[in-house]
Amino acid sequence: MESNNNPFFSVILVAILLTLVCITNANPEIYHEFTVQEKTVTRLCKSHKIITVNGQFPGPTLDVRNGDAVTVKVTNKARYNVTIHWHGLRMMQNPWADGPEFVTQCPIRPGGSYTYRFVIQDQEGTLWWHAHSRWIRATVYGALVIRPKLGVSYPFPKPKLELPILLGEWWNRDIISVLQQALFSGAAPNISDALTINGQPGDLLKCSKQGTIRYSVNPGDSILLRVINAALNQQLFFTVANHKLTVVATDAVYTKPFTTNVIMVGPGQTTDVLLTADQKPGRYYMAARAYATAQNAPFDNTTTTAILEYKSATSQPILPPLPAFNDTNTVTAFSNQLKSPGKVDVPTKIDESLLFVVGFGFFNCSPGPRCQGPNNTRFGASMNNVSFVLPSTVSLLQAYTNKVPNVYTTDFPPTPPVKFDYTGNVPRGLWQPVRGTKLYNLKFGDNVQIVLQDTSIFSTEDHPVHLHGYHFYVVGQGFGNFNPSSDPARFNLIDPPQRNTIDVPVGGWAAIRFVADNPGVWLMHCHIDTHLAWGFAMAFIVGNGVGPSQTLLPAPVDLPPC
């Protein structure tokens, strides 16, 4: 047979071989079909149509094993564009399956479909999936449970029960109209009408008692709660009345176990906790409510509940105490206890040292209608003074791989263009960011450090920042302005926790490190969707390395057209 020297043929052949190798080494292929569709749902005494997957809210749980090859065909029968993001999955060499709209793919239009194909590689624990197209994820989300390979056990005694706990937000209005109104007016969007646990507000809210989630347990049962914050815009405290919680994992990475009364979970984050039913048989509320840090900003102050009930118990449920809405001390004490189970291999020789100043900004209103932001402005958000603008005719990944001109530039600043007192009084001349689609190039194998620094324009705030395609080590956190001379001396380079979403402390900073070992275009953004819509995002281009195992896979043939 004649050899084919066509480079395109070689890439296709490599992709086929890689796929065959992955599937051969994996468990049998896991296949799911997701149908995105409207459904009329009643909450808080009112009914309206929401977007669901397979008619379920929350959507179906994907239950897989480390090593599985997963195929999910998504068909869009709703009236809005949609994509699905598999939050926290590394997607090695395969950003085509990552899902953020106009970053790695164009959206699945109404009536269209797209099949996501990916392999679970060296990950286990709790993640989640959600829509990544405008605010559709308000109701389009579900748990992603990754079990160890067959024959491999958890690093803790196997629990009797495992319960996904999805914390969310509920609006009595169509969520896209809430977003459109905010973007038109320039003001902050209407807050949610209730918080939810597994789609239900709980019986402290009107018309909600009948739907309240109940979990029945026997005395002595050990229970693994897989807590997921799927809320659109709100960090949340979570606790269970009279029961201790032992934290064993965050963001699908095992942690050094520690016991606490309460956890804080930022939007996008997951926390696995073990609970033992060791109390007097009765009924106990699980409860969640806001951790809110922005000064003078409205937030949903409801408390959502579910019930942990010992079998045959009929007593009134006991409500646990919850921290004050602005209890940063409790959050700091909790996050300071998160550590890897043992010594880890943290990058120490740094190739790219980046400082990203993040937070709010304002745009002048004119020309246009009167704006409803502060002082007749329009709210914005930025990273290093760049307010991110998504393309609308092609995805960034397609523009990168096909060398499409005039879609983005690669001059995202590695440090703030202007240095200032980030958490002090910020001069008014620095309040307005610059709109742009600016990316940052990383070489394959670079050791990267990013310091994320909060700012006090309008208000300081705790920001949950998510990096697609990567886990990273959280080597340091603190309050005030990061000091490059003294703060690195206090970094934890022995057993820092690994995460995919880091809550940058209110009025403070967080330092993360990772190795750029996954080629492609990867979004980094605030997981508060209001802030993302205002421009709180950027993206990295990670180049190919050497050989097939370090090379971006080719685009799937059924990638949605733009």
Side-chain angles (χ1 to χ4, degrees):
M1 184 173 112
E2 278 187 55
S3 65
N4 190 325
N5 294 320
N6 185 323
F8 178 75
F9 176 83
S10 302
V11 171
I12 292 293
L13 184 61
V14 165
I16 292 169
L17 288 172
L18 273 174
T19 303
L20 287 173
V21 167
C22 288
I23 292 175
T24 302
N25 291 338
N27 297 318
E29 185 180 17
I30 307 299
Y31 180 79
H32 288 271
E33 291 191 2
F34 278 11
T35 301
V36 180
Q37 60 196 106
E38 287 191 353
K39 182 180 182 180
T40 300
V41 173
T42 302
R43 297 288 187 277
L44 307 179
C45 320
K46 296 182 179 178
S47 298
H48 73 97
K49 287 183 178 178
I50 64 169
I51 310 298
T52 67
V53 168
N54 298 352
Q56 300 175 42
F57 172 59
T61 295
L62 280 192
D63 202 317
V64 299
R65 289 192 182 276
N66 183 9
D68 279 353
V70 182
T71 300
V72 185
K73 182 180 180 182
V74 178
T75 303
N76 186 4
K77 293 187 176 178
R79 56 192 158 125
Y80 300 121
N81 294 339
V82 75
T83 65
I84 301 293
H85 169 52
W86 317 92
H87 186 111
L89 279 185
R90 290 292 312 274
M91 297 294 182
M92 299 303 294
Q93 303 169 255
N94 187 21
W96 305 107
D98 191 44
E101 179 181 56
F102 291 116
V103 177
T104 60
Q105 67 171 95
C106 289
I108 306 167
R109 310 284 180 184
S113 66
Y114 176 48
T115 300
Y116 293 89
R117 297 176 177 88
F118 50 89
V119 178
I120 313 290
Q121 296 184 58
D122 298 323
Q123 291 187 262
E124 55 188 67
T126 305
L127 295 173
W128 63 302
W129 58 265
H130 61 82
H132 211 302
S133 179
R134 295 194 291 174
W135 279 17
I136 301 296
R137 82 170 177 90
T139 54
V140 176
Y141 61 83
L144 173 54
V145 174
I146 309 173
R147 302 186 183 283
K149 292 181 178 180
L150 287 171
V152 178
S153 60
Y154 296 136
F156 45 80
K158 184 173 171 52
K160 179 80 179 292
L161 296 171
E162 297 187 19
L163 306 175
I165 307 292
L166 291 109
L167 309 177
E169 287 175 283
W170 175 264
W171 276 261
N172 280 333
R173 290 177 53 202
D174 173 70
I175 194 64
I176 295 300
S177 67
V178 174
L179 171 62
Q180 287 172 336
Q181 180 184 351
L183 294 179
F184 174 77
S185 70
N190 290 346
I191 60 171
S192 52
D193 295 287
L195 303 174
T196 58
I197 294 178
N198 290 0
Q200 294 288 346
D203 59 10
L204 302 186
L205 284 91
K206 60 184 180 179
C207 304
S208 301
K209 186 163 188 168
Q210 189 172 353
T212 300
I213 303 294
R214 292 174 171 78
Y215 297 110
S216 185
V217 299
N218 289 308
D221 280 352
S222 62
I223 303 141
L224 178 64
L225 302 180
R226 299 178 178 273
V227 184
I228 299 164
N229 186 346
L232 212 61
N233 293 322
Q234 192 61 65
Q235 290 89 341
L236 296 167
F237 289 114
F238 173 84
T239 188
V240 181
N242 291 18
H243 290 74
K244 294 284 189 183
L245 306 176
T246 299
V247 176
V248 293
T250 57
D251 292 358
V253 180
Y254 296 118
T255 62
K256 196 170 288 179
F258 67 93
T259 301
T260 180
N261 292 321
V262 63
I263 64 175
M264 195 286 285
V265 195
Q269 294 183 328
T270 70
T271 304
D272 290 0
V273 296
L274 286 170
L275 173 153
T276 303
D278 57 3
Q279 295 301 299
K280 174 183 172 185
R283 302 172 78 226
Y284 301 89
Y285 277 124
M286 300 176 177
R289 79 173 185 187
Y291 168 52
T293 56
Q295 295 291 317
N296 303 316
F299 64 93
D300 183 339
N301 63 5
T302 62
T303 299
T304 179
T305 55
I307 299 173
L308 186 76
E309 49 190 20
Y310 289 62
K311 284 174 182 166
S312 77
T314 57
S315 56
Q316 279 294 109
I318 296 170
L319 189 66
L322 278 155
F325 295 117
N326 62 350
D327 189 349
T328 294
N329 288 338
T330 290
V331 173
T332 305
F334 171 71
S335 60
N336 284 346
Q337 293 185 82
L338 292 171
K339 291 182 170 60
S340 288
K343 190 176 187 312
V344 289
D345 188 15
V346 184
T348 52
K349 179 183 173 295
I350 300 303
D351 302 300
E352 290 276 2
S353 184
L354 309 173
L355 173 62
F356 289 177
V357 169
V358 302
F360 298 116
F362 301 104
F363 289 104
N364 293 331
C365 189
S366 56
R370 179 167 175 78
C371 294
Q372 294 171 15
N375 301 315
N376 189 33
T377 61
R378 180 176 289 283
F379 269 111
S382 67
M383 301 178 75
N384 278 357
N385 205 47
V386 180
S387 189
F388 194 68
V389 178
L390 283 171
S392 58
T393 57
V394 64
S395 75
L396 293 171
L397 183 59
Q398 289 165 291
Y400 166 62
T401 55
N402 296 329
K403 297 182 172 55
V404 181
N406 305 318
V407 176
Y408 62 85
T409 58
T410 55
D411 56 346
F412 184 86
T415 57
V418 178
K419 291 179 172 54
F420 56 96
D421 181 2
Y422 306 121
T423 53
N425 275 325
V426 181
R428 197 176 182 96
L430 298 174
W431 287 12
Q432 180 157 318
V434 176
R435 288 189 172 98
T437 309
K438 296 175 183 288
L439 279 58
Y440 192 85
N441 277 316
L442 294 173
K443 294 191 294 294
F444 189 95
D446 274 350
N447 290 332
V448 183
Q449 174 177 293
I450 306 174
V451 175
L452 295 156
Q453 172 71 61
D454 188 26
T455 56
S456 56
I457 301 170
F458 177 68
S459 172
T460 53
E461 184 169 355
D462 177 295
H463 293 285
V465 178
H466 172 46
L467 176 59
H468 289 234
Y470 287 88
H471 273 110
F472 47 74
Y473 292 106
V474 183
V475 296
Q477 295 184 80
F479 293 100
N481 297 337
F482 175 72
N483 186 324
S485 301
S486 57
D487 285 328
R490 295 195 293 272
F491 282 180
N492 176 5
L493 303 179
I494 306 299
D495 59 354
Q498 265 190 296
R499 306 220 63 155
N500 64 57
T501 306
I502 174 64
D503 262 277
V504 180
V506 52
W509 55 270
I512 65 173
R513 291 185 180 182
F514 63 95
V515 180
D517 60 357
N518 194 7
V521 177
W522 302 106
L523 187 66
M524 188 178 203
H525 65 97
C526 185
H527 221 274
I528 293 175
D529 270 23
T530 297
H531 301 174
L532 175 58
W534 287 341
F536 190 148
M538 59 81 64
F540 290 103
I541 297 173
V542 180
N544 287 331
V546 178
S549 66
Q550 298 180 1
T551 299
L552 178 66
L553 292 172
V557 293
D558 64 338
L559 201 66
C562 292

